[in-house]
């Protein structure tokens, strides 16, 4: 299962609930980058971690485990890679898209930083404004290529 959405859209919150309900292994790049001593703002390191988590995902899927990839998957291309990879193993693949107005995302992000849940350099309004122009939201045609979600929380 893939979850896509901008930062603070609630991906990790949803993934934690789904991981219990399905049950599934939840993989979060931010968590891995941080625990490996990296910085979530280091894109090169993040991409390497994501590549490794994807390799692990293919192994887990091959062994019949359900997996939730809950990093942003901003680009259609990234989602295509995951969908086709899962399909080539003959396993189902679902897409969840979390959307919220930019002001709401900024509020949630600020709250998360204030609560100490986010310990890296803070995300600013300027970041959100830039990222919202880069993010490629899935359209109906893309959703039709995925399976209907089986478990809802
Ligand atoms: N539906 C919601 N309504 C209000 N607040 C929410 C909702 N979902 C999550 N939150 C809160 O917003 C903050 C961000 O949520 P979360 O960490 O799940 O986002 P995320 O998409 O995983 O972000 P990132 O991409 O940075 O990892 C958290 O403090 C969380 O408690
Ligand atoms: Mg998260």
């Amino acid at each position: 299962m893939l979850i896509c959405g901008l930062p603070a859209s609630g991906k990790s919150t949803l993934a934690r609930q789904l991981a219990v309900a399905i049950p599934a292994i939840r993989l979060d790049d931010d968590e891995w980058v941080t625990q490996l001593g990296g910085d979530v703002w280091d894109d090169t390191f993040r991409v390497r971690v994501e590549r490794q988590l994807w390799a692990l995902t293919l192994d887990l899927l091959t062994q019949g485990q359900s997996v939730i990839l809950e990093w942003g998957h901003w680009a259609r291309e990234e989602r295509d890679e995951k969908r086709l990879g899962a399909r080539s193993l003959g396993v189902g693949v679902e897409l969840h898209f979390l959307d919220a107005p930019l002001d709401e995302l900024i509020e949630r992000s600020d709250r998360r930083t204030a609560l100490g849940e986010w310990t890296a350099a803070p995300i600013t309004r300027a970041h959100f404004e830039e990222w919202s122009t880069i993010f490629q939201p899935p359209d109906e045609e893309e959703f039709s290529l995925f399976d209907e979600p089986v478990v809802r929380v």
Side-chain angles (χ1 to χ4, degrees):
M1 174 187 302
L2 302 183
I3 304 182
C4 81
L6 283 166
S9 56
K11 298 180 299 296
S12 297
T13 305
L14 173 67
R16 285 196 188 93
Q17 295 167 348
L18 285 169
V20 176
I22 292 176
I25 313 276
R26 183 181 67 87
L27 296 176
D28 177 4
D29 62 349
D30 280 347
E31 231 168 70
W32 281 77
V33 166
T34 305
Q35 292 301 323
L36 289 168
D39 180 342
V40 295
W41 292 92
D42 178 349
D43 285 338
T44 309
F45 189 60
R46 166 191 296 280
V47 167
R48 290 174 66 179
V49 168
E50 286 177 4
R51 223 182 290 279
Q52 190 62 22
L53 292 178
W54 176 233
L56 173 62
T57 299
L58 292 172
D59 280 349
L60 289 166
L61 292 176
T62 303
Q63 298 189 4
Q65 297 282 346
S66 296
V67 181
I68 302 173
L69 300 185
E70 57 124 307
W71 54 87
H73 296 102
W74 291 8
R76 167 75 191 252
E77 196 181 19
E78 287 175 78
R79 302 189 293 265
D80 283 348
E81 179 197 18
K82 307 299 184 308
R83 177 173 50 77
L84 295 171
R87 293 270 185 241
S88 72
L89 296 174
V91 303
V93 58
E94 299 170 12
L95 177 64
H96 287 253
F97 170 38
L98 293 174
D99 199 11
L102 218 52
D103 283 341
E104 169 73 21
L105 295 178
I106 293 164
E107 263 176 44
R108 286 188 205 169
S109 170
D110 288 349
R111 210 178 312 133
R112 180 171 64 172
T113 304
L115 288 171
E117 283 175 45
W118 179 267
T119 53
I123 307 175
T124 64
R125 173 176 286 273
H127 288 122
F128 274 107
E129 283 172 357
E130 183 198 339
W131 294 340
S132 65
T133 67
I134 299 171
F135 184 77
Q136 299 172 345
D139 57 17
E140 284 308 314
E141 179 267 336
E142 184 178 358
F143 273 114
S144 74
L145 301 172
F146 286 85
D147 297 313
E148 286 294 316
V150 177
V151 176
R152 293 186 183 274
V153 290

